Amino acid sequence: IRTIVRDERFEYEMAYIEPIVRRADEFMEGAETILSRDPEAGCRLDGSNVWFVCGHTVDAALYYTFDADHVYFLSIEKTKLPEL
């Protein structure tokens, strides 16, 4: 299991979106549990070492990178669901 490290930028963005994104805290708990065990569960951005995971029922996207011992949460943003 890898250790989660929250970047200062991530902490700032999380504090901003947490009040406006419903269930953001639950999304983060799930992301920490899954990504600490399987960081390749997300999608890799082309040509980089940055990965992302989006919430299925939460309008947020988490950007991260990882090595053998850590998962680094870099950024989180509110997303807009596509119009149906």
Side-chain angles (χ1 to χ4, degrees), residues 2 6 17 27 35 65:
R2 291 172 173 85
R6 294 175 172 222
I17 72 162
F27 170 66
L35 297 176
T65 191

Side-chain angles (χ1 to χ4, degrees), residues 1 5 21 26 29 35 39 42 48 51 60 62-63 67 71 76-77 79 81:
I1 296 179
V5 178
V21 174
E26 293 174 26
E29 287 176 26
L35 297 176
S48 78
W51 296 64
L62 167 64
Y63 297 88
D67 60 25
V71 177
I76 188 166
E77 65 182 3
T79 58
L81 296 175

Side-chain angles (χ1 to χ4, degrees), residues 34-84:
I34 293 167
L35 297 176
S36 67
R37 289 165 175 76
D38 182 15
E40 293 184 7
C43 298
R44 188 175 188 173
L45 296 176
D46 289 337
S48 78
N49 290 326
V50 176
W51 296 64
F52 74 95
V53 63
C54 293
H56 294 287
T57 59
V58 177
D59 49 344
L62 167 64
Y63 297 88
Y64 65 96
T65 191
F66 62 92
D67 60 25
D69 299 313
H70 302 91
V71 177
Y72 301 92
F73 286 0
L74 304 174
S75 180
I76 188 166
E77 65 182 3
K78 182 180 181 332
T79 58
K80 182 177 177 185
L81 296 175
E83 302 279 332
L84 298 177

Side-chain angles (χ1 to χ4, degrees), residues 5-16 72-76:
V5 178
R6 294 175 172 222
D7 186 83
E8 186 176 328
R9 175 183 176 159
F10 169 85
E11 291 288 8
Y12 176 78
E13 292 169 344
M14 186 64 187
Y16 173 75
Y72 301 92
F73 286 0
L74 304 174
S75 180
I76 188 166

